[in-house]
């Protein structure tokens, strides 16, 4: 038996380019991450020391527990409905949900109300999520391909490092205007290269004013899928009641720049080399998400930094409580985890947290009033 064919995705992309011409960066990214057979999330083990990257819930249980406390508080402010859809977008290994539920278990009625819904396209990650929940004794989750498939009802939507995987389009500021950046074949036909469309396209009309005026040669990004998803979440909040918590790495204000990056074995590699064998993400433009939320009629709070969010929810107190029963080694690990999640030079500043709630609600925990 041979292993998975590492070149299959590159051949598929080359075929697509032969037929359709150069691909928008968004189409390239969607194929690389989510092709049903050869896509990165379908074939690779992304997470952990042996994988390509480590996410906050995999750093420490404290991350998910504090998000669980946040969810319980939102649930109470909603009037403690008897049934609450707990919807997680892109749950990875399922670790975050297990830690959220463990925190809900300490709040009377909250765990009983929770109905778990995962939105996940990768069958192999669905299997892992299923195993993680089973090991924690949780048996009643449902899986969906898309948010729209989750039945109506009061809901809290949580997404950690999900929006950074949604495809972005890129534009280059040229003498004739903002032209789309595309992925084509190189001259030898054995690899990929970026090219720039020779005419401006309508897509660039939606660029933020601060970006449109950027100098020549600047690159700008938009994430239409992210904005559409925010709009769907906002409709759900307004129609069924609920809230959303979006955590990701990115910028608080729209700025020009090429943030596309490929990460393999914890290191950045060139973006167009070995498609499908490295994670491919882009910084999340939080101000674009805020604009989409406000346009759809919900209140957006934040983004605040992950460090300040976790600190205001009491990460230090939680670490102190866990230290009570910890060995000296475990105690050191807790210190390392707190620093990793909150220190400005680690995940604390780069990662941001955005909350969406109904316009008639007060700012949720972790987002102080302006
Ligand atoms: N939230 C997890 C995993 C982040 S990785 C954590 O913090 O550890 C991104 C996750 O989103 C993976 O589970 C991936 O399979 C899923 N995913 C990526 N694009 C998706 C899409 N378009 N629809 C649904 N799930 C997607």
């Amino acid at each position: 038996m041979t292993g998975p064919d590492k070149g299959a995705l590159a051949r598929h992309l080359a075929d697509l380019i032969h037929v359709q011409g150069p691909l928008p960066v968004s189409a390239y990214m969607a194929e690389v991450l989510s092709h049903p057979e050869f896509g990165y999330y379908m074939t690779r083990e992304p997470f952990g020391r042996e994988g390509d990257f480590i996410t906050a819930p995999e750093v420490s249980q404290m991350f998910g527990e504090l998000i669980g406390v946040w969810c319980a508080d939102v649930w109470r402010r909603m009037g403690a409905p008897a049934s609450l859809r707990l919807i997680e977008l892109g749950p990875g290994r399922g670790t975050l949900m297990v830690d959220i539920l463990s925190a809900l278990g300490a709040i009377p009625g909250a765990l009983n109300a929770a109905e778990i819904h995962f939105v996940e396209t990768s069958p192999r990650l669905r299997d892992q999520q299923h195993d993680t929940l089973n090991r924690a004794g949780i048996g009643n989750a449902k899986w969906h391909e898309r948010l729209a498939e989750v039945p109506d009802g009061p809901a809290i939507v949580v997404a950690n490092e999900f929006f950074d995987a949604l495809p972005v389009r890129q534009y280059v500021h040229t003498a004739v205007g903002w032209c789309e950046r595309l992925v084509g074949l190189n001259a030898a036909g054995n690899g990929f290269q970026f090219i720039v469309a020779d005419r401006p396209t309508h897509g660039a009309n939606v660029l933020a004013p601060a970006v449109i005026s950027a100098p020549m040669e600047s690159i700008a990004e938009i994430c239409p899928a992210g904005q559409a998803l925010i709009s769907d979440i906002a409709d759900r909040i307004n129609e069924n009641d609920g809230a959303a918590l979006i955590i990701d790495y990115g910028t608080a204000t729209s700025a020009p720049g090429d943030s596309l990056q490929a990460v393999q074995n914890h290191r950045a590699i060139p973006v167009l080399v070995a498609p499908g064998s490295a994670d491919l993400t882009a910084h999340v433009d939080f101000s674009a998400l805020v604009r989409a939320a406000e346009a759809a009629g919900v209140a957006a709070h934040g983004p605040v930094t992950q460090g300040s969010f976790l600190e205001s929810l009491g990460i230090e107190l939680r670490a102190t409580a866990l230290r009570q029963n910890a060995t000296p080694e475990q105690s050191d690990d807790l210190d390392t985890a707190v620093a990793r999640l909150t220190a400005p030079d680690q995940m604390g500043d780069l990662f941001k947290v955005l909350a969406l709630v109904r316009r008639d609600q007060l700012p949720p925990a972790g987002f102080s009033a302006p």
Side-chain angles (χ1 to χ4, degrees):
M1 290 292 291
T2 53
D5 178 355
K6 291 204 176 106
L9 185 64
R11 281 199 299 279
H12 165 70
L13 288 163
D15 288 348
L16 268 184
I17 293 169
H18 275 305
V19 175
Q20 302 181 5
L23 304 172
V25 169
S26 53
Y28 176 84
M29 199 171 164
E31 292 293 329
V32 166
L33 292 178
S34 304
H35 182 279
E37 207 180 330
F38 314 128
Y40 171 77
Y41 284 113
M42 313 302 156
T43 57
R44 287 270 299 191
E45 173 52 51
F47 310 109
R49 230 178 276 275
E50 305 292 304
D52 295 317
F53 57 95
I54 296 180
T55 58
E58 306 295 338
V59 169
S60 166
Q61 69 188 74
M62 292 182 285
F63 181 78
E65 289 168 347
L66 292 171
I67 291 176
V69 169
W70 187 89
C71 291
D73 186 55
V74 168
W75 172 71
R76 273 208 216 97
R77 292 177 191 213
M78 288 163 68
S83 168
L84 174 78
R85 319 246 183 285
L86 211 45
I87 305 172
E88 188 179 351
L89 309 179
R93 277 181 176 162
T95 310
L96 175 59
M97 183 58 81
V98 167
D99 295 332
I100 289 176
L101 294 172
S102 124
L104 291 191
I107 288 127
L111 191 55
N112 271 344
E115 196 185 274
I116 304 153
H117 293 271
F118 281 155
V119 176
E120 173 60 69
T121 39
S122 158
R124 64 177 290 285
L125 288 176
R126 281 186 182 200
D127 286 347
Q128 280 198 27
Q129 291 151 18
H130 197 262
D131 290 349
T132 304
L133 293 184
N134 265 352
R135 278 197 302 277
I138 302 155
N140 63 350
K142 295 196 175 66
W143 276 265
H144 311 272
E145 290 277 318
R146 298 178 316 119
L147 177 64
E149 292 170 14
V150 181
D152 283 348
I156 297 178
V157 179
V158 176
N160 185 59
E161 289 211 44
F162 177 77
F163 279 76
D164 65 10
L166 297 178
V168 293
R169 301 184 87 127
Q170 292 188 327
Y171 301 91
V172 181
H173 202 183
T174 74
V176 294
W178 286 93
C179 298
E180 185 146 19
R181 197 175 186 221
L182 306 165
V183 177
L185 291 173
N186 63 12
N190 59 3
F192 303 99
Q193 64 178 7
F194 286 111
I195 52 175
V196 181
D198 51 14
R199 259 172 286 180
T201 40
H202 290 305
N205 293 343
V206 301
L207 294 178
V211 174
I212 285 219
S213 55
M216 288 293 140
E217 308 297 321
S218 296
I219 292 179
E221 291 175 349
I222 58 169
C223 184
Q227 293 178 23
L229 186 56
I230 289 290
S231 195
D232 290 350
I233 293 172
D235 290 348
R236 192 174 274 272
I237 290 173
N238 278 332
E239 282 158 25
N240 302 293
D241 202 5
L245 192 68
I246 292 147
I247 306 146
D248 227 304
Y249 77 113
T251 53
T253 49
S254 299
D258 168 18
S259 79
L260 202 60
Q261 69 170 24
V263 169
Q264 187 183 65
N265 300 324
H266 308 271
R267 272 198 302 273
I269 65 164
V271 165
L272 299 182
V273 169
S277 69
D279 188 31
L280 193 56
T281 59
H283 279 46
V284 173
D285 175 355
F286 277 95
S287 59
L289 300 189
V290 168
R291 286 194 295 275
E294 286 171 349
V298 293
H301 295 283
V304 296
T305 64
Q306 175 171 298
S308 89
F309 179 72
L310 294 177
E311 276 155 13
S312 72
L313 289 179
I315 192 168
E316 285 299 342
L317 279 176
R318 184 66 192 130
T320 305
L322 289 170
R323 273 190 211 102
Q324 306 285 312
N325 297 315
T327 63
E329 195 181 62
Q330 288 168 332
S331 216
D332 287 348
D333 288 349
L334 285 166
D335 294 344
T336 309
V338 171
R340 182 133 188 214
L341 293 171
T342 63
D345 59 345
Q346 300 195 52
M347 297 174 86
D349 269 5
L350 179 57
F351 281 75
K352 313 271 187 307
V353 189
L354 176 71
L356 308 183
V357 296
R358 283 191 350 235
R359 278 189 172 151
D360 57 3
Q361 294 282 308
L362 291 170
F367 300 86
S368 48

